[in-house]
Amino acid sequence: MKIWTVANQKGGVGKTTTTVSLGGILAAQGKKVLLIDTDPHASLTYYFGIDSEDLEVSVYDIFIRGSNMASEEILQALCPSTVENLDILPATMAIATLDRSMGNRSGMGLILKKALAKISDYYDYAILDCPPVLGVLMVNALAASERILIPVQTEFLALKGLDRMMRTMTLMQSSHSKQYQYTIVPTMYDKRTKASLEAYKSLVESYKDKVWPGVIPVDTKFRDASLAQQVPVQFCPKSRGVYAYRSLLEHIGELERGNNE
């Protein structure tokens, strides 16, 4: 099972949209995909019409029970989506308490990684949607992942969030002796505005080949898909936004094939 984490220490940059778009495309290609919500706001959970208040089991239970949770119990915590091959591990507001209640506990940063290892035979991909705050949840998501996708809105305030994210990854790499593979994904790009053009130029100058050479454009179809509680590839398969995410997926595939050669 390949594990990707979608993360940035700034909200509103397109993390959930990126998660559901890539997950939907992979599922449409016949891959078994698990989307994991690690954000207390539960945007990914609500996207699929799952009411976090009604859940008996969620990602919170994995953190609380840790290694005591068997693979069958983890699988029972998953919610099927309306998309074939696509399941959700939902979040509840309770995970907002984890930093306070468990943040200093030894081994806390590897709970999610160990849990996913127990169900790795059931899925081809797991994609984690991260909160914008550095804490137990983000640390777990980064530690579990093989590739980090960093959506960055093409405007200058968002570039500051990227700076914080890069510092976090440097700290994580040092503490885990792990070199992260990451791709910066320019999002909400509007070629009509100088702000988008300048922000994209700054991204490429600062991070060079770590920036995906494409862009995710501003596309109102994403909002409509969310309202309909459908993944974009299902709701608007021919939209420019879906086309862009298909291109991103191809790019990631090329990177991974290059790393394996």
Side-chain angles (χ1 to χ4, degrees):
M1 179 172 69
K2 295 181 179 180
I3 304 174
W4 298 345
T5 290
V6 182
N8 193 334
Q9 284 177 251
K10 185 181 185 306
V13 298
K15 292 189 296 294
T16 300
T17 298
T18 297
T19 302
V20 298
S21 295
L22 293 179
I25 293 169
L26 286 166
Q29 293 175 351
K31 306 296 185 183
K32 287 285 292 179
V33 182
L34 175 62
L35 303 184
I36 302 171
D37 196 346
T38 65
D39 190 340
H41 291 108
S43 296
L44 178 66
T45 300
Y46 286 118
Y47 189 105
F48 289 94
I50 302 167
D51 189 342
S52 66
E53 301 305 315
D54 293 338
L55 295 172
E56 293 184 5
V57 186
S58 71
V59 71
Y60 175 76
D61 297 270
I62 289 176
F63 281 97
I64 293 299
R65 295 182 57 193
S67 58
N68 294 325
M69 207 166 184
S71 58
E72 293 79 9
E73 293 176 292
I74 297 172
L75 292 171
Q76 288 173 4
L78 309 182
C79 297
S81 74
T82 57
V83 180
E84 187 178 1
N85 298 320
L86 187 66
D87 293 335
I88 316 299
L89 177 53
T92 63
M93 281 294 293
I95 59 175
T97 67
L98 291 175
D99 280 315
R100 184 175 67 252
S101 63
M102 306 181 75
N104 295 321
R105 196 173 292 185
S106 176
M108 189 62 191
L110 297 175
I111 287 179
L112 200 52
K113 181 177 182 178
K114 292 176 180 178
L116 291 178
K118 294 180 181 181
I119 59 171
S120 62
D121 291 340
Y122 294 89
Y123 292 93
D124 299 304
Y125 290 85
I127 307 178
L128 292 79
D129 189 17
C130 258
V133 179
L134 178 59
V136 164
L137 295 162
M138 181 179 283
V139 167
N140 265 269
L142 294 178
S145 66
E146 299 160 359
R147 176 169 296 278
I148 301 169
L149 303 176
I150 310 174
V152 180
Q153 183 181 358
T154 45
E155 57 94 16
F156 279 98
L157 285 178
L159 301 188
K160 296 298 181 183
L162 176 59
D163 290 342
R164 291 193 297 274
M165 188 69 217
M166 299 307 294
R167 288 196 293 271
T168 294
M169 285 174 50
T170 299
L171 289 171
M172 289 282 292
Q173 286 178 161
S174 177
S175 61
H176 288 90
S177 300
K178 175 180 180 179
Q179 189 68 33
Y180 286 112
Q181 301 296 323
Y182 69 92
T183 301
I184 296 168
V185 183
T187 61
M188 303 180 191
Y189 183 79
D190 187 345
K191 64 181 180 181
R192 300 169 298 178
T193 66
K194 183 178 180 181
S196 276
L197 294 170
E198 291 295 327
Y200 180 78
K201 180 181 177 182
S202 180
L203 270 179
V204 174
E205 287 176 349
S206 299
Y207 297 100
K208 299 180 173 57
D209 60 349
K210 291 299 184 180
V211 180
W212 171 47
V215 295
I216 305 298
V218 172
D219 191 341
T220 58
K221 292 292 186 182
F222 288 144
R223 191 181 304 117
D224 295 339
S226 174
L227 186 63
Q229 297 178 348
Q230 294 183 23
V231 293
V233 72
Q234 180 186 56
F235 181 81
C236 49
K238 296 183 179 180
S239 68
R240 59 181 182 169
V242 169
Y243 177 81
Y245 276 114
R246 288 186 189 276
S247 298
L248 172 61
L249 199 54
E250 290 173 6
H251 175 74
I252 297 170
E254 290 170 2
L255 291 176
E256 296 192 338
R257 285 191 293 272
N259 290 337
N260 292 330
E261 290 178 357

